[in-house]
Amino acid sequence: MTYSSPGRFPGPGVDFGPAEQFFRQEIQLANRNKGMPLEGMRYDITPVGMHYLLAHFDIPDVDAVALRLEVAGLVKRPLRLSLDDLQRRPKHTLAVTMECAGNGRALMDPRPISQPWHVEAIGTAEWGGTPLRGVLDEAGVSETAVEILFTGLDRGVQGDEIQVYERSLSVEEAMRDEVLLAYEMNGRPLEPQHGYPLRLVVPGWYGMTSVKWLASIEAIAEPFRGYQQLGSYRYTDTLDDPGEPVTLQNVRGLMIPPGIPDFATRVRLLEAGRVTLRGRAWAGRNDVIRVEVSVDEGATWDDAKLDPPVGPHAWCGWRCDWDAEPGRYTLIARATDSAGNTQPLEQPWNAHGMGNNIAQRVEVLVE
Ligand SMILES: Nc1nc2c(c(=O)[nH]1)N[C@H]1C(S)=C(S)[C@@H](COP(=O)(O)O)O[C@H]1N2
Ligand SMILES: [Mo]
């Protein structure tokens, strides 16, 4: 359904913003959708209240007792499953590093206007739930199905379209062992903002794939063409061109900013001497094989020591010693994955601000 948006964002014809100034509507989005404070990377598993959050529309009011998950479309045995039914099925618990595809958007220039993430749209939670595959097997996905469509209960307007939040996966991706119908986050029922009572969790993919407030699963005969699949989450140079779909997470390493922060600018203040820089790195379905730190604008790099990953779908820790001498520095961290991808020092631009994995820069004053 198309619909003329009641409010253009932030004004007619304005799709991009200047690098250093933000519009009120972006601040409004940022107040609703929060990032993880980077010091939260000290925890293997992010406390629920520190995990990043993104909801396109409103958090829906869901009656968990009345909820029936519909499994329908091109299946031999359609199912209607209560939360109890799902909780009686085999339970898996997986640590998963989730990242929003728009992470890094606000560092792009010109800046695509949307949720203005810098680098903090990340978190690693322990998701508990039942493997999607078991449910699909029980329903019996027909040979003619090409995708599985996941529909949430939240509605709103985006791209001049009234919509519910929906995303699809190929049958093959949906059948992977690690895909969960999750009803727990860090050992407790999901919080309302994270999808209560039920959500999809798709490890390795950017966050948009993990549909929250899940209401139905439908096996479909044609690739899904809805807004969240075709109108957004694309790598493209212009907003009109569909470009390529955004899928798995790009390799990224982040540092916990060392020392103490200046309140307003977050520039770090550090005492001279040996400091151990620490952080986390992840790479979607690849492994992180290297993290490097530069204190001289990329002229030289030091290899960090890597810890084993927190789980097969979760980040690993890293640390790197630095003998800090008085002066002003920009610390740069970058990671490399097992497919040979290294985070770039210059950001490749795209119109939706997707998948920006530019190497992180942290400004430090050593005294
Ligand atoms: N139903 C629904 N699911 C959703 C969204 C949404 O707006 N509605 N946002 C997606 C996006 S863009 C991201 S990055 C993740 C964020 O999950 P979190 O808020 O639990 O961190 O949820 C995804 N699932
Ligand atoms: Mo996202």
Side-chain angles (χ1 to χ4, degrees), residues 60-353:
D61 184 10
V62 187
D63 180 345
V65 175
L67 183 81
R68 295 292 177 275
L69 176 70
E70 299 276 350
V71 185
L74 300 171
V75 296
K76 295 173 189 97
R77 294 167 292 275
L79 306 172
R80 291 185 81 230
L81 301 170
S82 69
L83 201 57
D84 269 356
D85 295 335
L86 289 162
Q87 287 172 345
R88 276 194 294 267
R89 303 182 69 90
K91 182 177 177 185
H92 286 197
T93 304
L94 278 184
V96 177
T97 296
M98 203 181 279
E99 176 176 17
C100 180
N103 202 16
R105 175 184 288 126
L107 302 174
M108 289 185 166
D109 182 14
R111 193 184 65 258
I113 294 172
S114 183
Q115 167 66 22
W117 298 121
H118 287 73
V119 296
E120 59 294 279
I122 50 159
T124 297
E126 207 144 43
W127 299 99
T130 194
L132 171 66
R133 182 185 185 145
V135 170
L136 291 179
D137 280 343
E138 189 176 317
V141 176
S142 128
E143 305 280 285
T144 54
V146 297
E147 286 189 352
I148 310 290
L149 177 63
F150 302 91
T151 303
L153 288 163
D154 48 331
R155 292 181 78 222
V157 184
Q158 202 179 353
D160 288 339
E161 233 179 82
I162 298 182
Q163 58 190 279
V164 288
Y165 188 91
E166 301 185 281
R167 289 271 313 177
S168 68
L169 277 176
S170 70
V171 174
E172 192 189 352
E173 284 291 317
M175 286 288 194
R176 286 178 66 95
D177 289 339
E178 69 269 22
V179 181
L180 289 185
L181 295 171
Y183 46 79
E184 275 179 15
M185 184 179 187
N186 296 1
R188 306 191 36 96
L190 303 182
E191 304 249 323
Q193 68 277 19
H194 289 295
Y196 178 83
L198 184 70
R199 76 177 298 173
L200 188 65
V201 172
V202 188
W205 284 65
Y206 278 116
M208 71 286 173
T209 318
S210 293
V211 176
K212 302 195 272 190
W213 311 294
L214 188 64
S216 84
I217 297 175
E218 191 189 344
I220 56 178
E222 300 286 337
F224 174 60
R225 303 180 58 83
Y227 181 82
Q228 304 295 342
Q229 201 85 26
L230 265 194
S232 186
Y233 299 108
R234 314 291 296 190
Y235 292 113
T236 166
D237 288 340
T238 70
L239 292 170
D240 309 322
D241 188 281
E244 293 298 316
V246 175
T247 59
L248 300 173
Q249 296 162 352
N250 293 327
V251 61
R252 179 177 234 135
L254 290 175
M255 174 189 316
I256 298 176
I260 57 171
D262 174 56
F263 169 65
T265 62
R266 311 310 292 182
V267 170
R268 315 300 301 186
L269 195 62
L270 213 61
E271 263 178 58
R274 170 152 298 199
V275 44
T276 302
L277 303 170
R278 291 172 196 277
R280 299 280 174 177
W282 60 96
R285 209 170 272 167
N286 297 320
D287 296 325
V288 173
I289 58 159
R290 189 174 196 190
V291 172
E292 300 160 282
V293 175
S294 175
V295 299
D296 54 11
E297 287 292 337
T300 61
W301 295 88
D302 275 340
D303 273 315
K305 283 200 185 63
L306 302 185
D307 299 331
V310 167
H313 309 287
W315 58 21
C316 64
W318 59 264
R319 72 207 113 88
C320 184
D321 288 336
W322 175 37
D323 291 314
E325 288 172 17
R328 250 190 186 274
Y329 301 86
T330 303
L331 310 183
I332 310 178
R334 71 174 182 196
T336 298
D337 72 18
S338 48
N341 304 299
T342 298
Q343 288 182 256
L345 297 177
E346 299 282 337
Q347 57 204 33
W349 191 88
N350 64 77
H352 292 286

Side-chain angles (χ1 to χ4, degrees), residues 29-45:
L29 276 180
N31 287 339
R32 288 185 58 84
N33 299 302
K34 59 169 184 102
M36 187 189 78
L38 293 184
E39 59 273 30
M41 286 190 288
R42 74 169 73 101
Y43 309 109
D44 282 350
I45 300 296

